[in-house]
Amino acid sequence: MFSFFKKKPPAPAPESVPAPRNDPSSATSPDDPASGIASTWARLTGGAAAPAGAPDGQTAADASAAKPVDAPPVDAPPATAPSWLARLGGWRSQPAAESRAPDPSSAPASPLPAPAEPTATPAGTADLFREVPRAEPEPVAPAAGIERSKPAEAVAAPEPDAGTAKSSVSAVSAADTADATDAADAAVESARRDWISRLRGGLRKTGSSLTQVFVGARVDEALYEELEAALLQADAGVQATTFLLADLKKRVKRAGVGDPMRVKALLADAIADLLRPLQRSLQVGEHTPTVIMVVGVNGAGKTTTIGKLTRHLVDARQKVLLAAADTFRAAAREQLAVWAGRADQPGAAVAVDIVSQEGGDPAGVTFDAVIAGKARGCDVVIADTAGRLTTQLHLMEELKKIRRVIAKAQAGAPHEVLLVIDGNTGQNALAQVKAFDAALQLTGLVITKLDGTAKGGVLAAIALWTQTRPDPIAVYFVGVGEKLEDLQTFDAREFALALLG
């Protein structure tokens, strides 16, 4: 666009310019053409005579017409820049009276009279340079538990001049924004408190059995023996129980406490520190689309988890496409469609699409979904796979095939491989994590159904095992029920406190 403004236009042939009304030097007889031409040349050249070397009888106007007039310099900015050029190139509009002063070396012998002020704007100029205000985008608050890897940084607007009406409007807008932010934070905090209450209720059996150990007890070996039995009953496993007891004894000795309830608080700190490497938020936005592959054994709650996760993504204004790759289970597509319909409610920011194929190859369906997600500009593509038992090796090979096909559809995909674990399976959950990780290289876990007979201690065993990996497997979400709000982000401290009642 700037090259367009730098192009030199062809110089038109000069015409006789009528003299300004306030120029007394140009008062000549209208019947004297030579006098009119001479006065025109004087005004254009600052009073210089006809160019040297002109043949006899050739007037100054003929000489100027025979010689092309040089265009103004390309890089010289205009004295008065229009508004649209000011927005594009950063020019600052100036009045005509403040234009650049002429070079004294090239000044004419007699100064030119000041031009008359324009009395009217030429036709069409007002419409051409009219400024149209731009609408500001409405700010959107992201949903909890989902983070964009490269969020756009807010750029502060320049301070308006003091004493103007705009400053008062900005102050009111800032106050309204602060009130809205405080209200949103209060709502999130209230919802989080309700979630912690539901989580504590789901782990009530485990919490009550661990709390009873500290009631009326003394800090001695008998307390540690009862605590060992309670941790084993909570599905923590032998290795995790041994690790926690050794860590607890060090903390008690370092703090020098003798109150059993203080020992319980130190145990909560030890469990939270063990689980903290698992606490991480799901990242979307670094890749377009972000491809998530969801796996798990039969009945773990994969499709339900996908539906809840889709709703959270839609609330965060992410465009989601679902791949119904569980092509052999009856009503698998219909169940996924129902959850997609719950997420795609009236007034939602974006719609949810589904790619499915009855009786087709799961890898082919996933491939088509990834290609469609790239073509439609989706932010996230989630592939729902069929339930696979870790002991059925030929079925695990099909999952490996799906992962390879996804990588062919998009380089570097899948970006997340999530394993959904039923919290009621106990120590078998650790065996599932090991088997699926060996086959698919897991990146995250989702623990569901903690509202049943689940004891929750298996997370300590998983956390201790993940320490042997270069990168610990994250626990993105935990669920305690069928409702949408029953799937929340994992917090190590909150889980440790809920585990101990």
Side-chain angles (χ1 to χ4, degrees):
M1 181 177 291
F2 290 103
S3 61
F4 172 80
F5 296 112
K6 292 183 179 181
K7 183 177 180 181
K8 292 183 178 181
E15 299 177 0
S16 296
V17 181
R21 297 178 182 180
N22 59 347
D23 189 357
S25 62
S26 59
T28 58
S29 173
D31 299 330
D32 188 1
S35 175
I37 295 175
S39 63
T40 301
W41 178 262
R43 289 198 312 275
L44 293 178
T45 62
D56 295 338
Q58 184 178 357
T59 63
D62 297 334
S64 61
K67 183 178 180 180
V69 180
D70 292 335
V74 177
D75 298 331
T80 304
S83 58
W84 49 268
L85 186 56
R87 292 197 302 271
L88 290 176
W91 299 103
R92 186 183 300 275
S93 257
Q94 298 177 352
E98 297 179 4
S99 59
R100 182 182 304 176
D103 190 358
S105 60
S106 59
S110 59
L112 296 176
E117 293 292 337
T119 58
T121 304
T125 304
D127 295 337
L128 178 61
F129 301 129
R130 183 175 55 193
E131 295 186 16
V132 180
R134 296 179 298 177
E136 297 294 335
E138 182 180 357
V140 179
I146 301 174
E147 297 182 358
R148 294 194 65 85
S149 59
K150 295 181 179 179
E153 297 182 356
V155 179
E159 292 285 341
D161 295 336
T164 60
K166 187 176 181 181
S167 61
S168 60
V169 173
S170 300
V172 174
S173 301
D176 295 342
T177 303
D179 294 341
T181 303
D182 294 341
D185 293 342
V188 171
E189 185 178 356
S190 176
R192 196 67 184 182
R193 285 197 300 267
D194 296 341
W195 154 251
I196 295 175
S197 178
R198 293 197 301 272
L199 179 61
R200 184 177 285 113
L203 299 174
R204 182 178 293 111
K205 294 181 180 179
T206 304
S208 59
S209 61
L210 288 173
T211 302
Q212 292 176 0
V213 175
F214 299 97
V215 177
R218 295 184 302 177
V219 182
D220 52 11
E221 288 299 326
L223 174 64
Y224 292 122
E225 290 179 0
E226 294 182 6
L227 185 57
E228 179 182 5
L231 288 174
L232 290 174
Q233 292 178 0
D235 292 334
V238 176
Q239 294 182 353
T241 300
T242 303
F243 177 85
L244 288 174
L245 288 178
D247 189 16
L248 178 62
K249 291 179 181 180
K250 293 179 182 178
R251 294 173 185 264
V252 171
K253 183 178 180 180
R254 188 185 308 116
V257 299
D259 184 6
M261 302 310 295
R262 290 285 306 279
V263 176
K264 178 183 176 182
L266 292 177
L267 178 59
D269 295 339
I271 295 176
D273 291 342
L274 179 60
L275 300 180
R276 190 161 287 111
L278 306 181
Q279 179 179 332
R280 195 162 67 242
S281 297
L282 180 65
Q283 302 288 333
V284 297
E286 184 177 358
H287 308 277
T288 305
T290 299
V291 182
I292 301 175
M293 180 179 176
V294 182
V295 298
V297 300
N298 305 75
K302 296 184 301 300
T303 305
T304 302
T305 299
I306 290 174
K308 297 177 181 178
L309 179 58
T310 300
R311 178 60 183 275
H312 283 295
L313 290 169
V314 170
D315 290 343
R317 293 186 178 273
Q318 302 294 298
K319 187 176 181 180
V320 184
L321 186 143
L322 305 179
D326 188 0
T327 58
F328 297 104
R329 181 169 66 91
R333 295 184 304 159
E334 289 74 8
Q335 183 182 1
L336 197 62
V338 169
W339 275 106
R342 294 179 183 179
D344 189 14
Q345 294 182 355
V350 292
V352 179
D353 297 333
I354 300 179
V355 175
S356 62
Q357 188 180 53
E358 184 176 1
D361 181 40
V365 173
T366 309
F367 182 88
D368 294 342
V370 175
I371 296 299
K374 294 169 61 178
R376 301 176 188 179
C378 295
D379 299 303
V380 181
V381 174
I382 304 178
D384 181 22
T385 62
R388 294 292 182 258
L389 297 177
T390 55
T391 56
Q392 298 173 330
L393 299 181
H394 64 289
L395 297 181
M396 295 293 289
E397 290 296 328
E398 290 187 2
L399 293 181
K400 295 180 182 179
K401 177 183 177 182
I402 294 177
R403 180 183 174 88
R404 292 193 303 268
V405 170
I406 291 177
K408 293 180 180 179
Q410 181 177 355
H415 309 105
E416 295 285 349
V417 181
L418 304 185
L419 173 63
V420 180
I421 299 176
D422 186 347
N424 300 310
T425 57
Q427 280 293 301
N428 188 34
L430 178 59
Q432 295 178 22
V433 173
K434 293 180 179 179
F436 279 96
D437 181 63
L440 303 172
Q441 294 79 49
L442 299 177
T443 61
L445 305 175
V446 180
I447 313 298
T448 63
K449 304 182 182 180
L450 290 177
D451 56 329
T453 60
K455 301 175 181 179
V458 67
L459 271 182
I462 295 175
L464 186 63
W465 174 78
T466 56
Q467 292 182 0
T468 61
R469 301 174 81 254
D471 185 17
I473 300 177
V475 177
Y476 289 132
F477 302 97
V478 290
V480 295
E482 292 292 330
K483 297 180 180 180
L484 175 66
E485 59 271 14
D486 291 335
L487 182 71
Q488 294 292 334
T489 54
F490 171 74
D491 185 274
R493 183 69 182 176
E494 294 174 356
F495 192 86
L497 294 177
L499 192 63
L500 295 177

